[in-house]
Amino acid sequence: MGRVLHQRLAQLSLEWHCPAKVEQLTPIAGGHHLQLSDGSQLTAGLTVLADGGRSGLKEQLGISSRRESYEQTALIAHVGVSQPHNGVAYERFTEQGPMALLPLPGQAMELIWTHPSGREKARMALPEREFLLQLQQAFGDRAGRFTQIGARHAYPLSLVTAEEPVRPGLAVLGNAAHALHPVAGQGFNLALRGVMDLVEALEQGELAKRPLGDMVTLQAFEKQRARDRANVIRFSDGLVRLFGHSFPLLPHARAAGLIGLNLVGPLRRGLARRAMGLER
Ligand SMILES: Cc1cc2nc3c(=O)[nH]c(=O)nc-3n(C[C@H](O)[C@H](O)[C@H](O)COP(=O)(O)OP(=O)(O)OC[C@H]3O[C@@H](n4cnc5c(N)ncnc54)[C@H](O)[C@@H]3O)c2cc1C
């Protein structure tokens, strides 16, 4: 995907600053002023803030975020597997928490293993052999044998949403606008749909001869985003609650949910379509 994107970018007449970071983002009349780490300065009628939400640019602009902790922590690491993964991703809803394995180049996969916050610490500290043993027990052998593990990282999980996703001359996109629980794997899909909606709103704005960062255009964009975002958050939160750890009746509800999903074709297909982002 990155390769295709770069090929297309090379065909367009764009001014391209890479590697560089936006160090300072300042509102000015008619847009924003950007100070880059390579020393250059830019002014823009429309700035798309898509920095992943951790670089402090939102805070520079005084855009606050709503943060709701899931009280869960994802343990993330690269693992070696004994058989080719053929590009298949796995998700397991285990008693110990949801876990996912995503294909990486070669015979390696990215492990995302959700724990109630605090409980990941013991696993982070396990010797490699013991960790791989526990992983194999929890995941089973569908992906083959786990042969080695890379550096382990722990990420506390929260739902983070920007309070002001649009301002005159500014649109906040992707994780900067919404960081979700990774259980449903929806963050990137949602970010891509944000890009599509922004392009559509800008095309409409151009047809109506409005300036690039006009609020009528950006509010139309945000109206579309708000609905999609709310649906995806509801869907992801539903999965977190159903497959999370904190409710005593959950093993039964979970089992009923999974059996229901297995038995009822339309329900399963509906879930898959929703998870692939084909249904808004
Ligand atoms: C463990 C895990 C598993 C996930 N699995 C899935 C999945 O299966 N499916 C899915 O859809 N989503 C998944 N997600 C979510 C997905 O990774 C994110 O939603 C997606 O990466 C968001 O893209 P983004 O471009 O908004 O932010 P990011 O991917 O964080 O990219 C932000 C970019 O901005 C750059 N940047 C930062 N600050 C500055 C600055 N000041 N100036 C210039 N550039 C800057 C960074 O270098 C980075 O390249 C997962 C997330 C996690 C944590």
Side-chain angles (χ1 to χ4, degrees), residues 21 50-59 67 154-157 175-176 179:
K21 284 206 144 197
D51 63 345
R54 291 209 191 130
S55 79
L57 291 174
K58 265 189 306 186
E59 289 72 13
R67 185 176 294 270
Y155 288 100
L157 299 172
N175 267 31

Side-chain angles (χ1 to χ4, degrees), residues 20-23 50-52 55 57 76 102 110 112 173-176 182 185-189 191:
K21 284 206 144 197
V22 179
E23 288 183 334
D51 63 345
S55 79
L57 291 174
I76 296 171
L102 310 175
E110 170 145 297
I112 303 153
L173 274 190
N175 267 31
Q186 291 299 297
F188 187 57
N189 289 344

Side-chain angles (χ1 to χ4, degrees), residues 35-56:
Q35 170 71 53
L36 305 196
S37 57
D38 64 3
S40 46
Q41 310 206 12
L42 307 170
T43 52
L46 174 64
T47 302
V48 177
L49 182 48
D51 63 345
R54 291 209 191 130
S55 79

Side-chain angles (χ1 to χ4, degrees), residues 185-186 189-190 193 196 228 232 235 270-280:
Q186 291 299 297
N189 289 344
L190 192 61
R193 292 205 296 278
M196 285 159 55
D228 190 18
V232 170
F235 170 66
L271 181 80
R273 285 183 63 78
R274 177 60 71 83
M276 285 187 282
L278 297 175
E279 257 170 36
R280 292 204 190 188

Side-chain angles (χ1 to χ4, degrees), residues 82-105:
S82 64
Q83 65 187 42
H85 50 60
N86 297 323
V88 175
Y90 298 91
E91 183 123 37
R92 286 264 188 281
F93 298 102
T94 73
E95 287 302 318
Q96 304 170 55
M99 58 201 305
L101 277 177
L102 310 175
L104 291 172

